[in-house]
Amino acid sequence: MFVIGERINGMFTAIGDAILAKDPLPVRAMAEQQIACGANALDVNVGTRVPKAERPAVMKWLVETTREVTDMCLAIDTPSLEIMRVGLDAACRKGTGMINSTTGHAEKLAAFMNLAKEFNASIIGLAIDENGVASTADAKVEIGMRVLAAAMEVGIATDSVYLDPITLPLNCAQDAPGIMLESIRQFKLLSDPAPHVVIGLSNLSQGATERGLINRAFLVMAVQAGLDASIHDPLDEELMNAMITAEVVLNKMIYSDSYLKAYRQR
Ligand code: THG
């Protein structure tokens, strides 16, 4: 599994405060902690407390601050083309970048694919288009197909494309997880080689009391369905243990009595 750490996000109070105060210490510390806990990439999102006009400059600062402690792939998390370019430019001076994300809107898709090409970045395509968040597996897969076609058009390898079925909170759409699992299975059949599939796991448990348990139970099922990347909190040790165990149980990783330790020593 490719774990994209979700914690450098202005939505979290401590990071939101650090962003407003331009204090690099909490940002660097959160980057280092996520890496120590097994993150393979770090999501970078300025959040919503920063005034719109300042967001490009703040994204640049947040990416540069994170870059001070790691060369790891940074997933620039913004729907804005302008902010995406600024973030990628800062991320790709040293190390790789990921576009998080494009939707299936035709114009947006073309612009973001060109950006991915320009920066040699990987790209996440959400199951959203002119009609909003696709609500059925068929509709999500149809958008996924358009994302793959757009990537092919500009010469981006399928290996650089991540499809995201979009995770709705369990407490407001109880049929959503089942539809997501079905979408994950179908995304994997769209092409050979198959695209990667990613989810923003924490969205699923938003507003619920048993957040950790819901995240863990669903992640295990999603790994079985073919999920190979997840945006989540790597500091959640029980979640990481469940994910690693799912990979062992599915024979994606070799079993030994110390498999948890072995995974963390890779
Ligand atoms: N897909 C893709 N990217 C994404 C998402 C996705 N990026 C953003 C988001 N979804 C994933 N990241 C988060 C980060 C935090 C939370 C949820 C998803 C979260 N935050 C707490 C809350 O809202 O309750 C805040 C907790 C705190 O303040 O400590 O749940 O789906 N491609």
Side-chain angles (χ1 to χ4, degrees):
M1 283 283 288
F2 187 73
V3 175
I4 305 169
E6 73 179 9
R7 298 289 300 268
I8 300 181
N9 186 324
M11 197 202 287
F12 292 101
T13 309
I15 296 297
D17 290 348
I19 290 171
L20 290 178
K22 286 279 169 72
D23 178 2
L25 298 181
V27 175
R28 287 191 205 125
M30 186 51 79
E32 284 168 339
Q33 279 179 59
Q34 292 187 97
I35 294 165
C37 291
N40 304 107
L42 302 177
D43 195 68
V44 181
N45 185 320
V46 299
T48 50
R49 288 163 64 193
V50 176
K52 274 220 162 95
E54 294 169 28
R55 286 183 196 169
V58 170
M59 177 63 91
K60 180 171 187 283
W61 175 83
L62 194 56
V63 171
E64 285 175 352
T65 302
T66 307
R67 264 284 170 259
E68 284 165 17
V69 294
T70 181
D71 291 351
M72 185 172 272
C73 176
L74 299 182
I76 311 303
D77 194 348
T78 172
S80 150
L81 186 64
E82 182 197 359
I83 300 172
M84 186 63 72
R85 172 176 285 284
V86 170
L88 279 181
D89 187 58
C92 295
R93 269 179 243 149
K94 194 180 89 179
T96 55
M98 180 183 242
I99 291 179
N100 185 17
S101 49
T102 181
T103 61
H105 295 82
E107 270 176 36
K108 188 166 186 181
L109 196 49
F112 277 78
M113 284 298 169
N114 283 324
L115 207 56
K117 185 77 183 169
E118 181 182 337
F119 286 95
N120 198 19
S122 46
I123 181 165
I124 298 177
L126 307 179
I128 297 178
D129 68 2
E130 291 79 356
N131 303 312
V133 178
S135 57
T136 64
D138 281 351
K140 289 178 195 292
V141 168
E142 203 268 319
I143 296 171
M145 211 145 54
R146 274 187 267 152
V147 170
L148 285 176
M152 206 178 283
E153 208 144 290
V154 296
I156 292 172
T158 306
D159 191 45
S160 296
V161 180
Y162 291 73
L163 300 180
D164 183 337
I166 284 291
T167 328
L168 296 176
L170 180 67
N171 66 0
C172 62
Q174 226 189 313
D175 60 342
I179 292 168
M180 271 161 44
L181 292 173
E182 182 55 29
S183 307
I184 294 168
R185 288 188 196 97
Q186 292 189 27
F187 280 155
K188 280 293 180 188
L189 301 173
L190 272 179
S191 68
D192 184 10
H196 298 289
V197 183
V198 65
I199 56 171
L201 182 65
S202 303
N203 290 31
L204 179 70
S205 61
Q206 256 169 342
T209 48
E210 295 290 352
R211 290 201 71 166
L213 197 51
I214 292 167
N215 289 344
R216 258 178 273 159
F218 184 76
L219 185 57
V220 167
M221 290 186 259
V223 171
Q224 198 282 327
L227 189 80
D228 57 6
S230 173
I231 303 167
H232 67 231
D233 181 6
L235 275 51
D236 181 341
E237 191 178 349
E238 290 301 319
L239 179 65
M240 293 297 280
N241 285 346
M243 178 195 83
I244 298 161
T245 304
E247 297 205 295
V248 170
V249 167
L250 291 166
N251 201 17
K252 291 171 190 269
M253 210 184 101
I254 293 171
Y255 176 83
S256 73
D257 286 341
S258 54
Y259 71 88
L260 289 173
K261 203 169 151 208
Y263 182 94
R264 291 189 163 94
Q265 283 172 349
R266 293 183 317 177

